[in-house]
Amino acid sequence: MEENLVEVYSADQKYKISIIRELLDENKIQSLVLNQKGSALLLGDIKVYVNKEDEEKAREIIEAHDI
């Protein structure tokens, strides 16, 4: 399944990821979140992935909301 996933968004703030996931969900696009923040220093990004077939629509939704 991982080979069918593409990254469409990343951020270092959880609230932005929550907004993006909600927007995708409202548009019937399933997403997966990978949190790469280190627990000690809280460095790194949180990444949102979708299926390849949903990539174009997901990017359009994200760009339209300028988050």
Side-chain angles (χ1 to χ4, degrees), residues 31-62:
S31 62
L32 174 73
V33 172
L34 177 61
N35 188 344
Q36 294 182 316
K37 283 191 170 287
S39 60
L41 300 175
L42 296 177
L43 298 175
D45 281 339
I46 305 167
K47 299 181 180 194
V48 178
Y49 293 85
V50 299
N51 287 320
K52 284 182 184 179
E53 59 268 8
D54 294 325
E55 179 182 10
E56 185 176 341
K57 184 176 179 183
R59 290 188 186 279
E60 289 173 2
I61 292 165
I62 292 166

